[in-house]
Amino acid sequence: MPERRTVALVTLGCARNEVDSEELAGRLAADGWELVENAEDADVAVVNTCGFVEAAKKDSVDALLEANDLKDHGRTQAVVAVGCMAERYGKELADALPEADGVLGFDDYADISGRLQTILSGGNVEAHAPRDRRKLLPLSPVERQQAAASVALPGHGDAAVTPAEAPEDVPADLPEGLAPASGPRAPLRRRLDTSPVASVKLASGCDRRCSFCAIPSFRGSFVSRRPSDVLNETRWLAEQGVKEVMLVSENNTSYGKDLGDIRLLESLLPDLAAVDGIERVRVSYLQPAEMRPGLIDVLTSTDKVVPYFDLSFQHSAPDVLRAMRRFGDTDRFLELLETIRTKAPTAGARSNFIVGFPGETDADFAELERFVTHARLDAIGVFGYSDEDGTEAATYEHKLPQDVVDERLAHLSRLAEELTAQRAEERIGETLEVLVESFDEDEDGWIGRAAHQAPETDGQVIVPADSAEGLGLAPGRMVSAKVVDTEGVDLVAECLFEEAGR
């Protein structure tokens, strides 16, 4: 009998990392590893790190050190770093953090089982050597798609052909040559929880060159997944009990440009919404400068595709946006939001903003305040600028004193908290379709999310237990509820018994 090998995956960062962890779990399970939930119960603890900003990198280091402590009083024998921070820093991270028994890059994922076995057996796996992943594929998007098979793309998964009885339909109107070669394919993925919500990677990498962002250097150029793979992964997730899928990538509005059709998302969304068992399809990470009328129409009018707009504004003062290598201004952004709300008055909208960018004047900051005040966003993330290794902005002059950055961060954060609470109050009286996710003893109610709320970031809906009595609610059920109160950005809603949950 083969020796029992156990592994735990600890995931930090964004939803894209969660997909990558489930792909790693699929690879390991396929090679006989037993997946366990807690690192202390595992022979190997694999920490999927985030390398986006300083706070996230610190959290990743802390998680690695915490896992390393388990080696002194638990089953854990090895701690391995994977993910964005490992890819971005590689050997530098290994030298600075000898507590990690291995630092593996994306190129190691295809043989993650072998790498972990070597480390567990006391062998040495050379730390990943970072490189600019933008240079691994051709500049031309179409040529890049043809060469993508030679480059590691976490979360895309090496798919395996499913049994003959699996459904064989693929999205309608596929560009020529994009149908799967030999029938539908199942994702190389293993779910790590039982949540009724799961993310699906639409693409990897980014072709934008925002001056503050290092992500393209370690995630690479933009590469779309084939529609058939996205569709079949969604089918598979529905079979696992998933009710909501969230499409993730560094930039979903670019989907299809390397497949010969920049409007491919518009044709894919109705097919995803039609998957049996799926109640809700959500699209995240939208670039304002790339929004187009057809995409807005599909997002606001397609049954089961939620009118949710996760728009990456970052700022609204023109001079700051130009320095960021981005486009737009306050009035154009407000016009975009107005266009969306004309088509879907209760649409959800959220964004993130950077304050204290090099050269940001008092007038620029006031312009950002003007936009945030008038935008009526449901959720707002605010970050203070800090230099990121290898970015253009790190070389800029006219850096603001840290106390000014901190002051602006605190001011805009307070304003954002007030404005999003006001926006939540505007929803009192609305009828929502709530996806139930858990029961909270402290709240004495069911916790779920409405169409305008993405997982983790946008607040939640609390459904008091007494208002749901007799409905038999459980995670994964959808229920109609009317908003009667708010708690900050969270909504309190009572079930409408005449519209039973499903």
Side-chain angles (χ1 to χ4, degrees), residues 136-181:
L136 300 182
L137 291 170
L139 287 176
S140 163
V142 174
E143 292 178 4
R144 184 188 308 156
Q145 179 66 215
Q146 296 167 352
S150 64
V151 174
L153 296 171
H156 286 220
D158 290 338
V161 176
T162 58
E165 63 269 24
E168 296 187 358
D169 51 314
V170 296
D173 302 322
L174 278 181
E176 184 177 356
L178 292 189

Side-chain angles (χ1 to χ4, degrees), residues 94-114:
D95 292 342
L97 198 69
E99 291 86 352
D101 299 287
V103 175
L104 307 180
F106 298 151
D107 293 335
D108 293 304
Y109 284 18
D111 188 30
I112 187 67
S113 176

Side-chain angles (χ1 to χ4, degrees), residues 212 312-334 352-372 408 412:
F212 56 83
S312 177
F313 290 121
Q314 302 299 346
H315 212 284
S316 71
D319 288 346
V320 175
L321 286 168
R322 302 305 176 269
M324 289 179 168
R325 304 296 183 198
R326 297 176 68 83
F327 307 94
D329 56 46
T330 295
D331 292 335
R332 274 189 277 184
F333 291 164
L334 291 175
N352 294 323
F353 301 94
I354 298 172
V355 299
F357 195 79
E360 182 190 62
T361 65
D362 290 342
D364 293 329
F365 185 66
E367 184 68 0
L368 176 57
E369 281 189 277
R370 181 170 81 89
F371 173 67
V372 171
R408 291 181 180 180
L412 195 65

Side-chain angles (χ1 to χ4, degrees), residues 15-28:
R16 301 185 295 273
N17 255 18
E18 294 171 6
V19 177
D20 294 352
S21 285
E22 293 197 347
E23 180 188 294
L24 290 173
R27 292 180 183 278
L28 291 166

Side-chain angles (χ1 to χ4, degrees), residues 12 71 79 90 120 196 206 254 270 286 320 367 395 415 420 441 486:
L12 294 93
K71 290 192 288 189
V79 175
L120 186 59
C206 186
S254 282
L286 301 169
V320 175
E367 184 68 0
T395 68
L415 179 61
T420 52
E441 296 286 352
T486 65

Side-chain angles (χ1 to χ4, degrees), residues 280-301:
R280 185 180 283 171
V281 178
R282 184 182 305 277
V283 184
S284 62
Y285 305 113
L286 301 169
Q287 286 290 341
E290 297 181 25
M291 290 301 293
R292 47 195 179 268
L295 180 56
I296 294 173
D297 287 343
V298 171
L299 288 171
T300 55
S301 65

